[in-house]
Amino acid sequence: MKDLKFEQEGTLSRLEVADRLAALAEALRSGGTAELDLGSGKLTLRVPDELTSEFEVEVGDGHIELEIELKWPTTRTTRTTPSTRTAPTPPPAPAAAAPRRPAAATKKTAARGRKS
């Protein structure tokens, strides 16, 4: 079950959509919080430095559908910078030792092959 879900659907002009996207882009760029104007009120969201995004375009039935999805956890996470990330150390590779036959057995086998 979702803790909170809000959906809004309606018809807007191209400029109104551009204004909403520009406001969201500015909030993402400046960091901290994003304030979304929902017409009847405003929704303020905490936005972390990193988030997951998905861009989807579907064309069919005489329409084009563009979906932009942004996801991030509700809990605060600490971000590691590339300089502080460490790659896991792989376990040492086992030494591949080929099985050895005693020298005497090899010579006997070779000698039997010559007698035949």
Side-chain angles (χ1 to χ4, degrees):
M1 183 174 174
K2 303 241 185 240
D3 292 334
L4 171 69
K5 183 173 182 175
F6 175 84
E7 289 186 16
Q8 186 178 48
E9 188 173 317
T11 302
L12 299 172
S13 72
R14 183 173 38 108
L15 292 176
E16 289 170 320
V17 172
D19 288 343
R20 287 187 180 189
L21 289 174
L24 179 59
E26 184 55 38
L28 290 170
R29 188 172 289 109
S30 63
T33 59
E35 191 172 272
L36 306 175
D37 184 5
L38 305 175
S40 60
K42 293 186 181 197
L43 177 64
T44 302
L45 300 170
R46 178 199 55 81
V47 181
D49 291 334
E50 289 186 358
L51 29 98
T52 303
S53 64
E54 181 181 333
F55 295 86
E56 183 179 332
V57 177
E58 292 181 29
V59 179
D61 296 330
H63 291 89
I64 297 174
E65 183 176 329
L66 168 65
E67 292 184 24
I68 302 170
E69 183 174 285
L70 305 174
K71 291 183 188 179
W72 62 89
T74 55
T75 58
R76 292 187 184 266
T77 57
T78 57
R79 181 178 176 213
T80 57
T81 60
S83 61
T84 60
R85 290 182 187 156
T86 57
T89 305
R100 295 185 182 203
R101 292 188 225 169
T106 305
K107 288 180 185 175
K108 286 181 186 177
T109 306
R112 278 191 225 143
R114 280 189 233 139
K115 289 181 183 177
S116 304

